[in-house]
Amino acid sequence: MRAKMYCAFLLRALGYEDGVDFLYADTLDFAMLHGLFNLSMLDAAPFLRDDLAAVTYQALGADLKDGSTYLLASLVESGAIDAEAARPITEKIEAYRALTAASQASSTGIDADYTMNMGMDIAVDGSDGTETIHETMSVAVSGNGRIQMILKDPLQLAISMNMNMESNTAGAGPDVTMQDQVSVQEWMQDGWVYIQEEMDGTTDRYKYPVGNMDGFAEFYQEMLQISGQMNSMMLPMIDSIDVSRTGSRTVYTMKMDDSLNSLLEDLLTALQEELAAMESPVDLTADLQSCTYVYTVGSDGELESCTADFDLDLVLGLPVTETENAQITAKLQMDMQMDVNATGDDVRISYPSFSNFEDLTPVLSGGEL
C-alpha cells in the first residue's frame, strides 16, 4: 500500500470526498493541510506499518470536514469505539488540542524574551595515517535575548542574542581554555537581512538580500495553512501530556517519545545524501535521550511561556584522508525558556537605521544567498 492510497481512505473517514474536495493526484498535499503528515509522504519511499500507524493516530485527532469534532470523538459518540477503552487517547488528544488552540496566535506572530543554557561534551578519535587522534572538548554556552517574528506578507524578523561561551580542549597539546562574549542582532525587512555583531570590542554591520523572497513568502504561507491544522500532527511523537493548574494558569508538561528518533534518522539520511552528492560524505547518527516541553497558559487562554529541555547524543564519522577516518561523538544538553510578550497581530517590530550597514551583495555568488 502507498501513502496516497491510505491517506485518501483516512480523508474519506474525515468526511472529505475525492473528486469533490480534492483530486486523488493531490491527495498527499491535501492530507498535509488537514493534519496528516509523515516523511514517507514526501517521496516514493515504502509506506511501512510504522508510517501507517502514525498517520492513523493523526487522523484520530484530526477535525472532521464539518468541524463539529475530531474523528476519535465522533467514533466514540457513535458507539463504534468504547469510550473507556479510548479514554487514554482521547485525554491526550484533547489536552494537545487545547494547548494548540492556546498557541495558535503564535503561528502568525510572536514576541518573546528567552534564556538558554547549553552544555556539550565532545570527543574526537581516529587516525590521520601517521598519528592517532584523540581530543576532548567541553563547551558551555549561556545566553539571553529577544525574538520577534511576523510570519505574514511581508515577512519581518528581529532577533537579539547575548552569549557567553567557555570551552576547554585537551588531547593534542597543552590544555586550552577559551572564553568569549558575543552579541548578535539580526533583522529581516523588505527582502534584506541585516546583521550586527559585537565581539572583543569590535562591531561589524552588514546586509545581504534574501534570495527568492517570493519563494520564502510562499513557503511561509503554506506553513501557516498547515499550522492551522496542527492539532494532530505531533500526536504520534508525544509520550504523555500532563495538565495541572497553578492559580489561574494551566500548565501542560509534554514529554516526547522515541519516535522523534525516527524523524531525526530520516532527516539525517536526507542530509547525508545531499552531502554525498556534493562529494562531502559523512556518517551521522543521532539519539535523542529525552525531550520535555512545559507550556504555561494564562487565564485568558493565551500562551504565556514555554520551556524546552532535551538531551541528544550525536556520532559523526568524517574522512581524514582517503583511507583514514575520525569519529566525533558529542553529548548535548540544552534547556531554553521563552516568556511571551505578544502574539499574532499584537506583535510590533521597531527597526534601527540601516544606512551604515555594509552591502555584501558584490561578494556573494550571483549577488544573492
Side-chain angles (χ1 to χ4, degrees), residues 29-45:
D29 290 335
F30 189 81
M32 283 188 278
L33 290 176
H34 292 81
L36 310 182
F37 176 75
N38 189 282
L39 286 175
S40 65
M41 296 164 60
L42 297 180
D43 53 36

Side-chain angles (χ1 to χ4, degrees), residues 69-82:
T69 186
Y70 57 93
L71 180 58
L72 181 56
S74 72
L75 293 172
V76 170
E77 184 178 345
S78 69
I81 294 179
D82 178 71

Side-chain angles (χ1 to χ4, degrees), residues 121-125 134-138 168-172:
D121 294 318
I122 303 170
V124 181
D125 292 283
H134 178 71
E135 291 188 7
T136 61
M137 175 184 290
S138 62
N168 296 282
T169 304

Side-chain angles (χ1 to χ4, degrees), residues 307-325:
T307 66
D309 189 346
F310 66 87
D311 295 345
L312 179 68
D313 293 341
L314 293 168
V315 179
L316 174 63
L318 288 173
V320 178
T321 67
E322 290 185 359
T323 58
E324 302 293 336
N325 294 310

